[in-house]
Amino acid sequence: MTWLITGGAGYIGAHVVRAMTAAGERTVVYDDLSTGLAERVPAEVPLVRGSTLDAQRLGRVLAEHRITGVVHLAAKKQVGESMERPLHYYRENVEGLRVLLEAVTEAQVASFVLSSSAAVYGMPDTGLVTEETPCRPLSPYGETKLAGEWLVRATGRATGLATASLRYFNVAGAAGPELADTGVSNLVPMVFERLTEGAAPRIFGDDYPTPDGTCVRDYIHVADLAEAHVTVARALRSAPGADLTFNIGRGEGVSVREMIDRINAVTGYDRPPTVTPRRPGDPARVVASATRIATELGWHAKYDVRDMITSAWEGWIRLHPEAARS
């Protein structure tokens, strides 16, 4: 098969491309490079610059490269920004997906993997979140991911397209320093930035109904997440018409305060955090049950939180050598 990886020059996308290629799968990257970096894409992997809103360009790429499967990661992903720009998020994440699915259907592509999110769950009232937990997103970002799952599922039922929606929990770490997250919208690089600027890390609210009052999240190493894509992509190849939904997490909750303490320990800094007001759209606790993908496909996460922080820090130092502590 040949897989089109939309958003394949991004932080997560580049890891997926590397994992798929290492597993012997042919890949083509499609990315508008609004946040992705061309240098993340291996030299042997074709890179096409384009938007998922461009139906004609998508059609040409699918035909020219004889694409048989798609892994769709291209999307806007900041919860706070989505609260301020909901129309932008619906256009990019929902309309972009609709255009892509139309092109996929016309090209008779066989398999489709959607990058979804734990944000679809909103504020779960259960312990571990399973794939059967009701979805009540708290932000336009989460809404667009849930709507995307509906679109993918409906298309699969109507056309026979084999589909999977992967609900990522909080992604961190790097498979190599050159693939590190260069953005600062996720917690780990956000804390790195504050520490290396000589500022206290920020906690957005400490009055949540959790043991230490700060939000609790399930963190997954990006290399584990990439391997999950390989596992699911291969499962779809042997299951025409499949309709799969999987959580991708570790089942371990870590609070924001605990995470900052662990980051201080790994980096050698010792700056206590400061508390600022809550951010809109942040649920108190979201921790995955990853039992379904383990049972059905045999996938398990290999890396722990320290692995995530250590690998992410190596990448940060590569970009900011002055940040290293002696």
Side-chain angles (χ1 to χ4, degrees), residues 179-203:
L179 294 183
D181 189 357
T182 57
V184 289
S185 59
N186 295 326
L187 176 64
V188 173
M190 190 183 298
V191 174
F192 288 167
E193 181 182 53
R194 298 285 292 180
L195 291 175
T196 55
E197 287 179 347
R202 286 179 294 191
I203 292 175

PDB file of all heavy atoms in Angstrom, residues 179-203:
ATOM      1  N   LEU A 179      13.239  15.523  15.833  1.00  0.00           N
ATOM      2  CA  LEU A 179      11.788  15.464  15.656  1.00  0.00           C
ATOM      3  C   LEU A 179      11.034  16.082  16.831  1.00  0.00           C
ATOM      4  O   LEU A 179       9.818  15.916  16.947  1.00  0.00           O
ATOM      5  CB  LEU A 179      11.328  14.013  15.469  1.00  0.00           C
ATOM      6  CG  LEU A 179      11.789  13.294  14.206  1.00  0.00           C
ATOM      7  CD1 LEU A 179      11.174  11.900  14.141  1.00  0.00           C
ATOM      8  CD2 LEU A 179      11.435  14.093  12.950  1.00  0.00           C
ATOM      9  N   ALA A 180      11.728  16.784  17.697  1.00  0.00           N
ATOM     10  CA  ALA A 180      11.104  17.345  18.891  1.00  0.00           C
ATOM     11  C   ALA A 180      10.017  18.360  18.538  1.00  0.00           C
ATOM     12  O   ALA A 180      10.023  18.963  17.459  1.00  0.00           O
ATOM     13  CB  ALA A 180      12.160  17.999  19.773  1.00  0.00           C
ATOM     14  N   ASP A 181       9.104  18.517  19.468  1.00  0.00           N
ATOM     15  CA  ASP A 181       8.014  19.488  19.320  1.00  0.00           C
ATOM     16  C   ASP A 181       8.594  20.896  19.400  1.00  0.00           C
ATOM     17  O   ASP A 181       9.152  21.294  20.427  1.00  0.00           O
ATOM     18  CB  ASP A 181       6.996  19.260  20.437  1.00  0.00           C
ATOM     19  CG  ASP A 181       5.715  20.072  20.257  1.00  0.00           C
ATOM     20  OD1 ASP A 181       5.641  20.858  19.301  1.00  0.00           O
ATOM     21  OD2 ASP A 181       4.803  19.892  21.081  1.00  0.00           O
ATOM     22  N   THR A 182       8.483  21.656  18.319  1.00  0.00           N
ATOM     23  CA  THR A 182       9.022  23.015  18.290  1.00  0.00           C
ATOM     24  C   THR A 182       7.991  24.053  18.725  1.00  0.00           C
ATOM     25  O   THR A 182       8.319  25.217  18.898  1.00  0.00           O
ATOM     26  CB  THR A 182       9.522  23.386  16.883  1.00  0.00           C
ATOM     27  OG1 THR A 182       8.445  23.237  15.953  1.00  0.00           O
ATOM     28  CG2 THR A 182      10.678  22.482  16.477  1.00  0.00           C
ATOM     29  N   GLY A 183       6.749  23.635  18.894  1.00  0.00           N
ATOM     30  CA  GLY A 183       5.719  24.548  19.359  1.00  0.00           C
ATOM     31  C   GLY A 183       5.709  24.634  20.872  1.00  0.00           C
ATOM     32  O   GLY A 183       6.394  23.876  21.562  1.00  0.00           O
ATOM     33  N   VAL A 184       4.934  25.553  21.402  1.00  0.00           N
ATOM     34  CA  VAL A 184       4.842  25.700  22.859  1.00  0.00           C
ATOM     35  C   VAL A 184       3.377  25.725  23.304  1.00  0.00           C
ATOM     36  O   VAL A 184       3.007  26.394  24.256  1.00  0.00           O
ATOM     37  CB  VAL A 184       5.573  26.963  23.361  1.00  0.00           C
ATOM     38  CG1 VAL A 184       7.076  26.801  23.237  1.00  0.00           C
ATOM     39  CG2 VAL A 184       5.103  28.208  22.621  1.00  0.00           C
ATOM     40  N   SER A 185       2.547  24.948  22.609  1.00  0.00           N
ATOM     41  CA  SER A 185       1.137  24.882  23.000  1.00  0.00           C
ATOM     42  C   SER A 185       0.853  23.693  23.900  1.00  0.00           C
ATOM     43  O   SER A 185      -0.168  23.640  24.567  1.00  0.00           O
ATOM     44  CB  SER A 185       0.245  24.815  21.748  1.00  0.00           C
ATOM     45  OG  SER A 185       0.570  23.690  20.956  1.00  0.00           O
ATOM     46  N   ASN A 186       1.761  22.686  23.930  1.00  0.00           N
ATOM     47  CA  ASN A 186       1.611  21.540  24.810  1.00  0.00           C
ATOM     48  C   ASN A 186       2.373  21.781  26.114  1.00  0.00           C
ATOM     49  O   ASN A 186       3.331  22.560  26.160  1.00  0.00           O
ATOM     50  CB  ASN A 186       2.125  20.269  24.135  1.00  0.00           C
ATOM     51  CG  ASN A 186       1.295  19.901  22.919  1.00  0.00           C
ATOM     52  OD1 ASN A 186       0.088  20.121  22.879  1.00  0.00           O
ATOM     53  ND2 ASN A 186       1.946  19.354  21.899  1.00  0.00           N
ATOM     54  N   LEU A 187       1.967  21.082  27.181  1.00  0.00           N
ATOM     55  CA  LEU A 187       2.488  21.382  28.514  1.00  0.00           C
ATOM     56  C   LEU A 187       4.008  21.272  28.606  1.00  0.00           C
ATOM     57  O   LEU A 187       4.663  22.181  29.132  1.00  0.00           O
ATOM     58  CB  LEU A 187       1.842  20.455  29.554  1.00  0.00           C
ATOM     59  CG  LEU A 187       2.380  20.619  30.981  1.00  0.00           C
ATOM     60  CD1 LEU A 187       2.077  22.012  31.521  1.00  0.00           C
ATOM     61  CD2 LEU A 187       1.816  19.547  31.907  1.00  0.00           C
ATOM     62  N   VAL A 188       4.587  20.180  28.116  1.00  0.00           N
ATOM     63  CA  VAL A 188       6.022  19.966  28.326  1.00  0.00           C
ATOM     64  C   VAL A 188       6.862  21.074  27.686  1.00  0.00           C
ATOM     65  O   VAL A 188       7.673  21.705  28.380  1.00  0.00           O
ATOM     66  CB  VAL A 188       6.438  18.565  27.845  1.00  0.00           C
ATOM     67  CG1 VAL A 188       7.956  18.405  27.908  1.00  0.00           C
ATOM     68  CG2 VAL A 188       5.762  17.491  28.705  1.00  0.00           C
ATOM     69  N   PRO A 189       6.723  21.365  26.384  1.00  0.00           N
ATOM     70  CA  PRO A 189       7.526  22.467  25.835  1.00  0.00           C
ATOM     71  C   PRO A 189       7.141  23.832  26.418  1.00  0.00           C
ATOM     72  O   PRO A 189       7.987  24.726  26.505  1.00  0.00           O
ATOM     73  CB  PRO A 189       7.237  22.404  24.329  1.00  0.00           C
ATOM     74  CG  PRO A 189       5.979  21.635  24.200  1.00  0.00           C
ATOM     75  CD  PRO A 189       5.957  20.676  25.338  1.00  0.00           C
ATOM     76  N   MET A 190       5.892  23.970  26.851  1.00  0.00           N
ATOM     77  CA  MET A 190       5.473  25.229  27.480  1.00  0.00           C
ATOM     78  C   MET A 190       6.256  25.457  28.778  1.00  0.00           C
ATOM     79  O   MET A 190       6.722  26.567  29.059  1.00  0.00           O
ATOM     80  CB  MET A 190       3.974  25.182  27.778  1.00  0.00           C
ATOM     81  CG  MET A 190       3.369  26.499  28.210  1.00  0.00           C
ATOM     82  SD  MET A 190       1.603  26.324  28.623  1.00  0.00           S
ATOM     83  CE  MET A 190       0.942  25.795  27.046  1.00  0.00           C
ATOM     84  N   VAL A 191       6.427  24.394  29.554  1.00  0.00           N
ATOM     85  CA  VAL A 191       7.215  24.497  30.790  1.00  0.00           C
ATOM     86  C   VAL A 191       8.686  24.719  30.464  1.00  0.00           C
ATOM     87  O   VAL A 191       9.365  25.544  31.107  1.00  0.00           O
ATOM     88  CB  VAL A 191       7.023  23.245  31.665  1.00  0.00           C
ATOM     89  CG1 VAL A 191       7.961  23.290  32.880  1.00  0.00           C
ATOM     90  CG2 VAL A 191       5.571  23.134  32.127  1.00  0.00           C
ATOM     91  N   PHE A 192       9.218  24.003  29.488  1.00  0.00           N
ATOM     92  CA  PHE A 192      10.614  24.216  29.069  1.00  0.00           C
ATOM     93  C   PHE A 192      10.862  25.694  28.748  1.00  0.00           C
ATOM     94  O   PHE A 192      11.870  26.265  29.161  1.00  0.00           O
ATOM     95  CB  PHE A 192      10.936  23.390  27.823  1.00  0.00           C
ATOM     96  CG  PHE A 192      11.051  21.908  28.035  1.00  0.00           C
ATOM     97  CD1 PHE A 192      11.080  21.052  26.935  1.00  0.00           C
ATOM     98  CD2 PHE A 192      11.143  21.355  29.301  1.00  0.00           C
ATOM     99  CE1 PHE A 192      11.205  19.686  27.104  1.00  0.00           C
ATOM    100  CE2 PHE A 192      11.257  19.980  29.483  1.00  0.00           C
ATOM    101  CZ  PHE A 192      11.284  19.145  28.373  1.00  0.00           C
ATOM    102  N   GLU A 193       9.956  26.282  27.983  1.00  0.00           N
ATOM    103  CA  GLU A 193      10.134  27.674  27.575  1.00  0.00           C
ATOM    104  C   GLU A 193      10.201  28.591  28.784  1.00  0.00           C
ATOM    105  O   GLU A 193      11.072  29.472  28.870  1.00  0.00           O
ATOM    106  CB  GLU A 193       9.003  28.098  26.647  1.00  0.00           C
ATOM    107  CG  GLU A 193       9.139  29.537  26.152  1.00  0.00           C
ATOM    108  CD  GLU A 193       7.982  29.970  25.266  1.00  0.00           C
ATOM    109  OE1 GLU A 193       6.818  29.830  25.707  1.00  0.00           O
ATOM    110  OE2 GLU A 193       8.240  30.458  24.165  1.00  0.00           O
ATOM    111  N   ARG A 194       9.287  28.391  29.732  1.00  0.00           N
ATOM    112  CA  ARG A 194       9.268  29.243  30.925  1.00  0.00           C
ATOM    113  C   ARG A 194      10.555  29.064  31.738  1.00  0.00           C
ATOM    114  O   ARG A 194      11.159  30.047  32.184  1.00  0.00           O
ATOM    115  CB  ARG A 194       8.060  28.909  31.780  1.00  0.00           C
ATOM    116  CG  ARG A 194       6.718  29.142  31.106  1.00  0.00           C
ATOM    117  CD  ARG A 194       6.349  30.601  31.012  1.00  0.00           C
ATOM    118  NE  ARG A 194       6.076  31.172  32.339  1.00  0.00           N
ATOM    119  CZ  ARG A 194       5.721  32.444  32.520  1.00  0.00           C
ATOM    120  NH1 ARG A 194       5.616  33.269  31.484  1.00  0.00           N
ATOM    121  NH2 ARG A 194       5.482  32.903  33.743  1.00  0.00           N
ATOM    122  N   LEU A 195      10.977  27.820  31.931  1.00  0.00           N
ATOM    123  CA  LEU A 195      12.178  27.573  32.722  1.00  0.00           C
ATOM    124  C   LEU A 195      13.400  28.227  32.099  1.00  0.00           C
ATOM    125  O   LEU A 195      14.200  28.868  32.802  1.00  0.00           O
ATOM    126  CB  LEU A 195      12.414  26.064  32.854  1.00  0.00           C
ATOM    127  CG  LEU A 195      11.428  25.274  33.717  1.00  0.00           C
ATOM    128  CD1 LEU A 195      11.740  23.789  33.648  1.00  0.00           C
ATOM    129  CD2 LEU A 195      11.437  25.757  35.165  1.00  0.00           C
ATOM    130  N   THR A 196      13.565  28.078  30.796  1.00  0.00           N
ATOM    131  CA  THR A 196      14.766  28.589  30.144  1.00  0.00           C
ATOM    132  C   THR A 196      14.736  30.096  29.959  1.00  0.00           C
ATOM    133  O   THR A 196      15.771  30.709  29.691  1.00  0.00           O
ATOM    134  CB  THR A 196      14.992  27.898  28.787  1.00  0.00           C
ATOM    135  OG1 THR A 196      13.833  28.039  27.968  1.00  0.00           O
ATOM    136  CG2 THR A 196      15.256  26.411  28.993  1.00  0.00           C
ATOM    137  N   GLU A 197      13.574  30.692  30.141  1.00  0.00           N
ATOM    138  CA  GLU A 197      13.469  32.157  30.119  1.00  0.00           C
ATOM    139  C   GLU A 197      13.671  32.751  31.512  1.00  0.00           C
ATOM    140  O   GLU A 197      13.634  33.963  31.689  1.00  0.00           O
ATOM    141  CB  GLU A 197      12.100  32.587  29.583  1.00  0.00           C
ATOM    142  CG  GLU A 197      11.920  32.398  28.084  1.00  0.00           C
ATOM    143  CD  GLU A 197      10.546  32.814  27.605  1.00  0.00           C
ATOM    144  OE1 GLU A 197       9.650  33.009  28.467  1.00  0.00           O
ATOM    145  OE2 GLU A 197      10.367  32.930  26.384  1.00  0.00           O
ATOM    146  N   GLY A 198      13.855  31.888  32.497  1.00  0.00           N
ATOM    147  CA  GLY A 198      14.011  32.365  33.863  1.00  0.00           C
ATOM    148  C   GLY A 198      12.698  32.689  34.540  1.00  0.00           C
ATOM    149  O   GLY A 198      12.670  33.374  35.567  1.00  0.00           O
ATOM    150  N   ALA A 199      11.598  32.174  33.981  1.00  0.00           N
ATOM    151  CA  ALA A 199      10.266  32.456  34.525  1.00  0.00           C
ATOM    152  C   ALA A 199       9.693  31.204  35.183  1.00  0.00           C
ATOM    153  O   ALA A 199      10.100  30.079  34.876  1.00  0.00           O
ATOM    154  CB  ALA A 199       9.330  32.938  33.414  1.00  0.00           C
ATOM    155  N   ALA A 200       8.742  31.400  36.084  1.00  0.00           N
ATOM    156  CA  ALA A 200       8.095  30.275  36.746  1.00  0.00           C
ATOM    157  C   ALA A 200       7.101  29.605  35.794  1.00  0.00           C
ATOM    158  O   ALA A 200       6.365  30.292  35.085  1.00  0.00           O
ATOM    159  CB  ALA A 200       7.354  30.761  37.994  1.00  0.00           C
ATOM    160  N   PRO A 201       7.084  28.276  35.759  1.00  0.00           N
ATOM    161  CA  PRO A 201       6.045  27.591  34.975  1.00  0.00           C
ATOM    162  C   PRO A 201       4.668  27.986  35.477  1.00  0.00           C
ATOM    163  O   PRO A 201       4.487  28.272  36.669  1.00  0.00           O
ATOM    164  CB  PRO A 201       6.324  26.108  35.241  1.00  0.00           C
ATOM    165  CG  PRO A 201       7.732  26.045  35.710  1.00  0.00           C
ATOM    166  CD  PRO A 201       7.988  27.322  36.436  1.00  0.00           C
ATOM    167  N   ARG A 202       3.690  27.964  34.581  1.00  0.00           N
ATOM    168  CA  ARG A 202       2.334  28.390  34.941  1.00  0.00           C
ATOM    169  C   ARG A 202       1.398  27.201  35.083  1.00  0.00           C
ATOM    170  O   ARG A 202       1.423  26.275  34.273  1.00  0.00           O
ATOM    171  CB  ARG A 202       1.785  29.352  33.898  1.00  0.00           C
ATOM    172  CG  ARG A 202       2.410  30.738  33.969  1.00  0.00           C
ATOM    173  CD  ARG A 202       1.867  31.649  32.908  1.00  0.00           C
ATOM    174  NE  ARG A 202       2.245  31.209  31.569  1.00  0.00           N
ATOM    175  CZ  ARG A 202       2.077  31.945  30.466  1.00  0.00           C
ATOM    176  NH1 ARG A 202       1.520  33.132  30.543  1.00  0.00           N
ATOM    177  NH2 ARG A 202       2.460  31.483  29.293  1.00  0.00           N
ATOM    178  N   ILE A 203       0.573  27.259  36.108  1.00  0.00           N
ATOM    179  CA  ILE A 203      -0.522  26.312  36.288  1.00  0.00           C
ATOM    180  C   ILE A 203      -1.811  27.093  36.077  1.00  0.00           C
ATOM    181  O   ILE A 203      -2.047  28.096  36.749  1.00  0.00           O
ATOM    182  CB  ILE A 203      -0.507  25.687  37.687  1.00  0.00           C
ATOM    183  CG1 ILE A 203       0.701  24.777  37.858  1.00  0.00           C
ATOM    184  CG2 ILE A 203      -1.792  24.922  37.956  1.00  0.00           C
ATOM    185  CD1 ILE A 203       0.850  24.205  39.260  1.00  0.00           C
TER     186      ILE A 203
END
